[in-house]
């Protein structure tokens, strides 16, 4: 487009960022980010959301900027007249919680609390924050509540079990895993992907179909020695 003399607009950049996030190609995403700054589209809310989505899905989360995120969230309504949806609120809850602002995250849930899946998504985000902060006491209560409300969903079982393991409560963790089995709930295997030389390779827990598995194991063994 650029070589043909056609200037990209916000819709163009949004589409390209969506492709970058879907393929988890961080290098390309950063280049597109640079173009966005060059063309002056960085102030567009749609583009900002797409950039956050791209960096998050590429595993390059920002560790700072909580205050800036608060401002962006607040200006959605006060400046742009956009009512935040549950996904926006859940992102804020997760960010505040992981940043250590657990009380503020809880207040946000109380303010935007709804019913059904919307309420559950907010509670799950808060539970993830408690897990990140290692808050066993409150995290346990919230996790047990989620298990009762959604007994056939794996998220609460896995997070609660991991929370117990992280705090050395192995017996409690085993009890949660047993409850998960008794309910017939199965954990979806963890998966991660990485881009090397413009090619995306996926790795799933428990699978050894990757042709470079042996070389990877050998390198890890050398590193651990």
């Amino acid at each position: 487009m650029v070589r043909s003399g056609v200037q990209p607009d916000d819709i163009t950049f949004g589409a390209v960022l969506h492709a970058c996030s879907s393929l988890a190609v961080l290098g390309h995403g950063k280049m597109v980010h640079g173009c966005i700054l060059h063309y002056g589209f960085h102030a567009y809310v749609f583009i900002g959301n797409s950039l956050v989505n791209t960096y998050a899905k590429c595993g390059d989360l920002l560790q700072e900027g909580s205050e800036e995120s608060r401002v962006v969230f607040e200006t959605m309504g006060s400046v742009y007249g956009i009512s935040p949806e549950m996904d926006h609120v859940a992102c804020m809850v997760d960010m505040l919680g992981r940043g250590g602002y657990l009380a503020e995250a809880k207040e946000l849930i109380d303010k935007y609390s709804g019913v059904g899946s919307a309420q559950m998504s907010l509670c799950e985000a808060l539970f993830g924050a408690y897990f990140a902060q290692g808050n066993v006491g409150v995290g346990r209560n919230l996790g047990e509540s989620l298990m009762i409300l959604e007994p056939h969903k794996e998220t609460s079982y896995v997070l609660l079990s991991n929370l117990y393991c992280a705090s050395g409560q192995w017996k409690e963790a085993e009890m949660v895993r047993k409850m998960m089995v008794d309910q017939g709930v199965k954990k979806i295997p963890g998966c991660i992907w990485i881009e090397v030389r413009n090619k995306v390779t996926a790795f799933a827990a428990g699978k050894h179909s990757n042709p470079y598995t042996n070389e990877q194991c050998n390198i890890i063994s050398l590193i651990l020695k």
Side-chain angles (χ1 to χ4, degrees):
M1 288 179 64
V2 175
R3 284 197 298 265
S4 301
V6 180
Q7 182 171 326
D9 57 12
D10 58 322
I11 303 300
T12 306
F13 284 122
V16 176
L17 285 174
H18 177 71
C20 291
S21 65
S22 299
L23 296 173
V25 284
L26 179 59
H28 290 78
K30 287 184 175 180
M31 287 189 288
V32 175
H33 190 179
C35 292
I36 290 170
L37 294 173
H38 175 74
Y39 284 101
F41 288 105
H42 56 282
Y44 284 59
V45 176
F46 171 66
I47 296 298
N49 289 339
S50 298
L51 282 169
V52 171
N53 184 56
T54 299
Y55 281 116
K57 288 189 175 179
C58 290
D60 190 14
L61 296 173
L62 310 170
Q63 297 300 318
E64 303 292 340
S66 295
E67 185 59 36
E68 184 178 356
S69 299
R70 288 190 185 97
V71 173
V72 172
F73 183 76
E74 291 170 359
T75 55
M76 283 180 63
S78 61
V79 177
Y80 300 100
I82 301 173
S83 299
E85 299 180 359
M86 283 301 106
D87 286 342
H88 297 109
V89 180
C91 286
M92 283 298 297
V93 169
D94 184 65
M95 183 207 67
L96 290 170
R98 292 177 187 274
Y101 305 100
L102 294 173
E104 189 174 345
K106 181 64 169 60
E107 290 177 3
L108 200 62
I109 287 183
D110 294 337
K111 180 179 179 179
Y112 290 95
S113 61
V115 295
S117 59
Q119 176 70 14
M120 293 303 300
S121 65
L122 296 182
C123 290
E124 288 175 0
L126 184 60
F127 187 19
Y130 283 128
F131 173 75
Q133 294 294 324
N135 193 321
V136 180
V138 182
R140 179 181 62 244
N141 295 334
L142 184 56
E144 291 175 349
S145 298
L146 287 173
M147 285 166 50
I148 295 173
L149 292 173
E150 291 189 329
H152 299 295
K153 192 170 183 179
E154 87 219 23
T155 306
S156 54
Y157 293 94
V158 175
L159 284 176
L160 184 57
S161 175
N162 291 342
L163 184 62
Y164 280 134
C165 289
S167 60
Q169 301 182 45
W170 307 108
K171 182 178 179 180
E172 289 81 357
E174 183 60 29
M175 291 175 60
V176 174
R177 291 288 181 172
K178 185 178 184 304
M179 291 173 59
M180 188 174 177
V181 173
D182 293 341
Q183 291 287 348
V185 180
K186 295 183 178 180
K187 180 182 180 298
I188 298 175
C191 180
I192 192 171
W193 55 90
I194 186 173
E195 178 198 1
V196 179
R197 296 173 184 172
N198 293 325
K199 183 178 180 181
V200 178
T201 303
F203 302 89
K207 292 189 177 181
H208 305 283
S209 58
N210 190 282
Y212 303 105
T213 298
N214 291 332
E215 289 96 338
Q216 292 161 356
C217 291
N218 291 334
I219 291 174
I220 292 174
S221 298
L222 289 173
I223 293 175
L224 294 176
K225 288 182 179 179

